[in-house]
Amino acid sequence: MSERTQPVSNRLVVVGQGYVGLPLAVRAVEQGFDVIGLDLDEERITRIGAGDSPVEDITHARLQAALATGRYRPTTDAGDGAGFAIAVISVPTPLREGAPDLSFIETAARSLGAHLTAGACVILESTTYPGTTQELVGPLLEAASGLTVGTDFALGYSPERIDPGNPTWRFENTPKVVSGVDDNSLRVVQGFYDQIVERTVAVSSPKEAELTKLLENTFRHVNIALVNELAVFAHALGIDIWEAIDAASTKPFGYLRFTPGPGVGGHCLPIDPSYLSWRVRQSLGETFRFVELANDVNDHMPGYVVARLVEGLNERSLAVKGRRILLLGLAYKRNTGDARESPSRPIARRLIELGADVVAADPHVADALVPPGVTKVELSEDELRRADAVVMLVDHDDFDTDLVAASSAYVLDTRHCLDGPTVEYL
Ligand SMILES: NC(=O)c1ccc[n+]([C@@H]2O[C@H](COP(=O)([O-])OP(=O)(O)OC[C@H]3O[C@@H](n4cnc5c(N)ncnc54)[C@H](O)[C@@H]3O)[C@@H](O)[C@H]2O)c1
């Protein structure tokens, strides 16, 4: 791309105003950009436009301040982004029947392409398999705009590392990996994020950046599976896995702490590693055995939690059928209301199939996301005493752990956050 095609304005379009796109849009407004927040979901855009943040990491006050600058415009109309200098795509990348579903990226690229002008830059942030930026997004933008990637517009990939609910590592102080399809694209992409986050880390092409994200998530997925499988065996052998993990964590090198749990959830771990294994299978005809094994182990954890609960009730001469079971936490992890792919869902479903009366408390999760057949309740001493068994699934900070331990007849604690005579650990 020649000098004349360098971005000349600070007009930014962020496509997708979800967990990833909204924090980026708000941060960019705070850093002086003119931002169009584009989303197809009208209800979401209306809500955002009214200053009601649907994402916990962005407070209502912060969103309202961004709107008050007059430089943040949430919209459903792709035409509002015409003439953008930079566009970032942060739309979902789900799996459909085990295969990557890139239709959201395709739609976003086509609609951006229609408004792409020479000198602009497009950056993909959605998690995806290596090759997507160059093999899919570039050609779609070229076809829709009639422009040539590299010559007329810049293109890059920068994975998102947002960790919802993490107060220490926030969007702006987490290093951001950046890449471009050529040297100039990299310069533009890095120049943009240098204004947004404290530190950027350049890699040589989008494929390395795409793989970086999948490596990070596959690493977590595999290590969580390792401790999950170990937890199952340690329990059967009568060994305290939690004490062993604490002891191993005192090793100052060569060990990283991961803890067991009821399974994995969210938009990342149950999905991203499968993007990588799909790519390996499709391109090389090989099986990515670590991913397959980790999927298998982690997928079995909700069933294992139910089996342990049934065992615990049995020891108390109780059948699960007809019992009132209180689930604490429906989100996929602590301090978030994100319940996508949450293990609470298969656990609730199985308990209902077994005839249990399932109630659940989670102050973060919206009522619409409560699993079918489950009644949402407030965590209280009365609810704890009414339950025949309590299952601690998510260690949200605002759960009163002392109250739970003191008032429950029997608790299965999958997070090792409770202490008391009626508490059993995973
Ligand atoms: N949530 C996380 O913690 C996280 C972390 C890192 C990476 N990611 C990745 O980032 C991407 C986005 O995830 P998310 O959690 O923000 O998803 P999300 O569902 O919260 O938000 C995506 C938004 O995009 C909108 N959308 C879909 N197609 C669109 C289109 N063509 N034009 C405009 N808007 C469109 C949807 O309506 C939705 O509001 C995914 O690839 C995900 O894997 C997510």
Side-chain angles (χ1 to χ4, degrees):
M1 195 164 74
S2 64
E3 282 304 312
R4 78 182 158 73
T5 56
Q6 287 286 342
V8 286
S9 80
N10 65 352
R11 198 168 157 74
L12 169 72
V13 177
V14 182
V15 188
Q17 291 291 278
Y19 284 93
V20 169
L22 184 62
L24 171 65
V26 169
R27 173 72 177 165
V29 172
E30 291 165 353
Q31 297 301 97
F33 284 84
D34 265 308
V35 182
I36 298 292
L38 183 63
D39 203 296
L40 298 179
D41 183 341
E42 281 190 25
E43 214 178 294
R44 173 169 285 256
I45 287 299
T46 305
R47 191 176 161 186
I48 293 172
D52 178 12
S53 173
V55 173
E56 292 105 334
D57 288 344
I58 299 296
T59 61
H60 301 312
R62 209 172 149 201
L63 173 59
Q64 286 157 16
L67 289 163
T69 63
R71 286 183 288 100
Y72 173 46
R73 187 137 60 93
T75 178
T76 54
D77 182 355
D80 289 344
F84 64 82
I86 309 258
V88 175
I89 302 175
S90 52
V91 297
T93 42
L95 281 172
R96 208 164 298 284
E97 287 163 13
D101 173 4
L102 298 184
S103 59
F104 297 94
I105 293 184
E106 288 167 5
T107 308
R110 282 195 194 98
S111 88
L112 277 178
H115 303 284
L116 183 61
T117 49
C121 172
V122 178
I123 305 164
L124 180 63
E125 279 210 7
S126 299
T127 305
T128 183
Y129 59 75
T132 307
T133 306
Q134 281 150 296
E135 294 162 20
L136 181 77
V137 176
L140 284 173
L141 291 170
E142 286 182 327
S145 66
L147 300 172
T148 305
V149 66
T151 311
D152 299 318
F153 66 95
L155 177 64
Y157 180 81
S158 178
E160 187 42 67
R161 283 174 164 163
I162 216 155
D163 185 17
N166 187 332
T168 310
W169 292 106
R170 302 175 311 281
F171 172 64
E172 60 273 17
N173 69 351
T174 302
K176 201 152 186 0
V177 172
V178 294
S179 68
V181 295
D182 52 25
D183 290 348
N184 190 63
S185 291
L186 174 60
R187 250 196 315 277
V188 178
V189 173
Q190 190 161 22
F192 167 63
Y193 286 113
D194 278 339
Q195 299 172 70
I196 299 286
V197 297
E198 290 170 13
R199 187 175 157 225
T200 53
V201 180
V203 294
S204 57
S205 91
K207 285 184 183 168
E208 281 72 28
E210 288 157 339
L211 185 60
T212 301
K213 176 70 187 172
L214 296 182
L215 169 61
E216 291 167 7
N217 282 350
T218 303
F219 175 83
R220 275 183 55 219
H221 191 51
V222 166
N223 278 285
I224 290 170
L226 172 67
V227 287
N228 276 341
E229 187 164 42
L230 210 48
V232 173
F233 291 139
H235 174 73
L237 292 167
I239 303 169
D240 186 340
I241 178 76
W242 300 92
E243 202 181 331
I245 289 171
D246 284 345
S249 303
T250 63
K251 188 178 178 187
F253 48 86
Y255 184 79
L256 213 52
R257 182 188 175 89
F258 287 87
T259 50
V264 292
H267 195 313
C268 294
L269 294 196
I271 294 167
D272 300 351
S274 298
Y275 264 64
L276 194 49
S277 59
W278 180 87
R279 182 59 157 174
V280 167
R281 199 177 321 114
Q282 187 235 22
S283 300
L284 307 172
E286 303 274 351
T287 302
F288 195 155
R289 290 166 294 172
F290 265 104
V291 171
E292 307 290 326
L293 183 60
N295 282 344
D296 187 49
V297 172
N298 289 333
D299 286 351
H300 274 88
M301 290 312 289
Y304 177 69
V305 170
V306 172
R308 285 286 304 277
L309 185 71
V310 170
E311 214 176 88
L313 286 168
N314 188 49
E315 275 162 21
R316 289 160 180 80
S317 304
L318 297 172
V320 68
K321 189 169 183 171
R323 297 295 147 209
R324 187 175 175 93
I325 313 286
L326 170 59
L327 304 181
L328 294 182
L330 293 170
Y332 83 91
K333 68 171 211 171
R334 68 202 305 260
N335 301 339
T336 177
D338 191 347
R340 291 177 292 185
E341 315 283 333
S342 172
S344 60
R345 197 165 270 266
I347 288 171
R349 190 175 53 233
R350 183 66 190 132
L351 288 172
I352 290 166
E353 280 166 7
L354 291 172
D357 172 16
V358 182
V359 298
D362 193 319
H364 297 269
V365 169
D367 292 356
L369 300 177
V370 173
V374 175
T375 307
K376 196 173 175 198
V377 297
E378 298 278 320
L379 175 57
S380 65
E381 186 179 339
D382 183 47
E383 277 301 339
L384 290 163
R385 294 206 185 282
R386 281 181 71 192
D388 296 292
V390 175
V391 190
M392 173 57 89
L393 290 175
V394 188
D395 47 345
H396 288 314
D397 281 341
D398 40 15
F399 278 150
D400 182 342
T401 48
D402 290 339
L403 180 74
V404 175
S407 313
S408 310
Y410 161 46
V411 200
L412 178 61
D413 177 5
T414 69
R415 300 291 181 177
H416 204 258
C417 61
L418 304 171
D419 193 16
T422 62
V423 178
E424 250 177 44
Y425 301 115
L426 196 67

